[in-house]
Amino acid sequence: MKKILNILVIIPLFVLNACGQSNNKQKNTTTKTIAMENVISKPENPYYSNTDTKKLNVPNAEWKKILSPDLYAVAREADTERAFTGTMWKSETKGTYYCATCGNKLFKSDQKFVSSCGWPSFFEQNNKESITFKPDNSYGMQRTEALCGRCDSHLGHLFDDGPEPTGKRYCMNAISLDFVPDAIATNSGNSETIVLGGGCFWCVEAVYENLDGVSKVVSGYAGGSVENPSYEEVCTGRTGAAEVVEITYDKTKTNLDEIFKVFFTVHDPTTLNRQGADVGTQYRSVIFYKNENEKKAAQDLIKDLNKEVFDNKIVTTLEPLKKFYKAEEYHQGYYENNKNKPYCQMVIQPKIEKFEKVFKDRLKK
């Protein structure tokens, strides 16, 4: 603890500004938490399984209650997301792709290739039952629709212009896919998650992406009373939800103390419902705890920081985590995808540089 306190004493706090409003409506609110028995855990979806291949016959009325609006539109109404959304279409990370609706295993990364179409593309499916097909004559075109073999959800289309050895191109909607890197799946027993809010999630996400031991950071929303809130709704400050990040970390490489140490360094925990010029409950300093151990660890650290570090009282709230909602896809990896934008260069980049200087021995290699 003293090491944490000594570091915090000499670190000026980062001041986070709000994410700029965006007109992009693309949204993906599926939750991806690692668990030993199920590589991806979605407690809100009782039909989700990464191991069960039994055919599902669930009516759309039921799916509509479970799935996020954007996933429902694509998976159950055959909508198509905008091309070049997020980074999945060009990602070469090794891992496994699952159906975001039911968890059915669809592809391995060695069956993927980077095409110029702007959607995740594969030349081969996991097995002959994992994906089924039917003719699609919509919009005056003759195409082959690709459906999940377990839940019949729309995934995308199949074309005959792919690479060898199959010559096929499975053109998939990224929102229809869940991806688990091999490293996470292998070390799932050592993985843990924590949800934190410290102002604009673009900034907090970009910082934690650089911490050794952190395998995944997802921007999203937590708290409040509105189910599946949109970015626009959260920005009103009337939903009670906060901009947060869900951090997945390897307990053999980092720990909760270090996660909290970074948290209390990268934002000002002494300003109530604001970070710099950004005012509202959506920017509050908050730790969403899953159990009493996380709550107590936070309480103990806050007590010590109030006593030895901060002149003003810490106002970080400790709230039980009821549900985490993944933010719209254009918020994920925002800094990595928009480094040349003024906000990233003038606001996020200086914070990352300061973080790298202070935590230089704890950076990812």
Side-chain angles (χ1 to χ4, degrees):
M1 183 66 70
K2 283 192 173 295
K3 182 178 180 181
I4 293 176
L5 297 176
N6 290 337
I7 293 176
L8 288 174
V9 167
I10 63 173
I11 302 174
L13 296 172
F14 295 150
V15 179
L16 303 182
N17 297 314
C19 313
Q21 282 281 2
S22 170
N23 293 323
N24 193 327
K25 301 291 185 180
Q26 189 68 26
K27 182 179 181 183
N28 183 349
T29 54
T30 54
T31 303
K32 303 176 186 175
T33 305
I34 305 304
M36 291 183 67
E37 64 277 4
N38 205 41
V39 182
I40 302 172
S41 175
K42 296 186 179 181
E44 78 282 5
N45 185 344
Y47 306 103
Y48 195 93
S49 174
N50 300 132
T51 57
D52 188 359
T53 58
K54 184 179 179 181
K55 187 74 175 181
L56 293 174
N57 185 19
V58 180
N60 278 348
E62 177 71 6
W63 284 125
K64 197 165 189 176
K65 297 176 184 177
I66 298 170
L67 305 179
S68 69
D70 285 343
L71 178 56
Y72 180 84
V74 173
R76 307 309 301 180
E77 297 181 338
D79 199 359
T80 300
E81 68 183 2
R82 186 167 54 87
F84 303 101
T85 299
T87 61
M88 189 179 285
W89 70 275
K90 61 180 179 180
S91 174
E92 296 181 349
T93 304
K94 300 299 182 183
T96 304
Y97 293 82
Y98 300 89
C99 173
T101 301
C102 73
N104 188 31
K105 185 177 179 180
L106 302 175
F107 305 100
K108 289 289 290 182
S109 56
D110 56 11
Q111 297 167 323
K112 185 177 185 296
F113 68 99
V114 179
S115 70
S116 59
C117 66
W119 288 281
S121 299
F122 305 83
F123 61 82
E124 188 177 38
Q125 63 195 71
N126 182 60
N127 61 69
K128 63 180 181 180
E129 286 84 25
S130 61
I131 299 176
T132 60
F133 308 93
K134 71 176 185 180
D136 178 5
N137 298 318
S138 60
Y139 304 107
M141 297 182 286
Q142 292 183 338
R143 297 179 293 174
T144 300
E145 182 182 8
L147 305 167
C148 173
R150 181 170 181 251
C151 68
D152 291 325
S153 287
H154 175 78
L155 301 172
H157 290 88
L158 178 67
F159 299 97
D160 293 322
D161 57 3
E164 296 297 334
T166 65
K168 302 293 184 180
R169 174 168 61 92
Y170 294 74
C171 185
M172 303 287 99
N173 289 284
I175 196 172
S176 295
L177 304 175
D178 282 340
F179 176 68
V180 178
D182 285 341
I184 292 180
T186 301
N187 298 315
S188 58
N190 296 322
S191 292
E192 188 55 85
T193 62
I194 186 70
V195 174
L196 308 172
C200 172
F201 47 22
W202 292 350
C203 301
V204 183
E205 178 194 75
V207 169
Y208 276 106
E209 287 284 7
N210 291 283
L211 180 64
D212 188 33
V214 170
S215 56
K216 190 174 186 180
V217 188
V218 180
S219 289
Y221 316 110
S225 58
V226 177
E227 185 175 356
N228 285 333
S230 68
Y231 180 56
E232 289 75 15
E233 289 173 324
V234 172
C235 282
T236 67
R238 296 192 294 267
T239 65
E243 288 192 14
V244 297
V245 294
E246 181 188 59
I247 302 165
T248 301
Y249 62 95
D250 185 343
K251 293 182 292 185
T252 67
K253 296 181 179 180
T254 185
N255 54 49
L256 199 58
D257 279 346
E258 184 168 63
I259 297 293
F260 285 159
K261 177 176 69 176
V262 174
F263 175 69
F264 284 108
T265 301
V266 300
H267 83 296
D268 185 350
T270 68
T271 53
L272 183 62
N273 296 331
R274 69 179 301 162
Q275 285 298 303
D278 305 328
V279 181
T281 56
Q282 68 270 32
Y283 300 114
R284 66 185 180 273
S285 175
V286 55
I287 295 173
F288 287 96
Y289 61 87
K290 301 190 301 297
N291 52 56
E292 288 301 312
N293 288 336
E294 291 180 351
K295 181 180 180 181
K296 187 176 186 307
Q299 287 175 328
D300 290 344
L301 179 56
I302 289 173
K303 181 179 179 181
D304 288 336
L305 293 177
N306 273 327
K307 185 185 302 183
E308 302 186 38
V309 177
F310 291 102
D311 294 328
N312 298 321
K313 183 179 179 181
I314 291 176
V315 295
T316 302
T317 60
L318 304 181
E319 304 175 29
L321 179 64
K322 296 179 180 179
K323 203 166 187 179
F324 169 80
Y325 298 103
K326 182 180 178 183
E328 294 82 348
E329 194 64 31
Y330 63 89
H331 289 302
Q332 309 306 323
Y334 186 85
Y335 171 75
E336 187 65 26
N337 295 325
N338 299 276
K339 289 183 178 180
N340 293 326
K341 289 191 175 182
Y343 182 87
C344 293
Q345 292 183 344
M346 294 186 291
V347 180
I348 303 179
Q349 181 61 32
K351 301 179 190 306
I352 293 176
E353 292 174 353
K354 179 174 266 186
F355 167 81
E356 291 176 340
K357 181 178 180 179
V358 174
F359 295 93
K360 59 183 179 181
D361 296 329
R362 295 294 300 129
L363 302 180
K364 290 180 179 178
K365 300 297 186 291

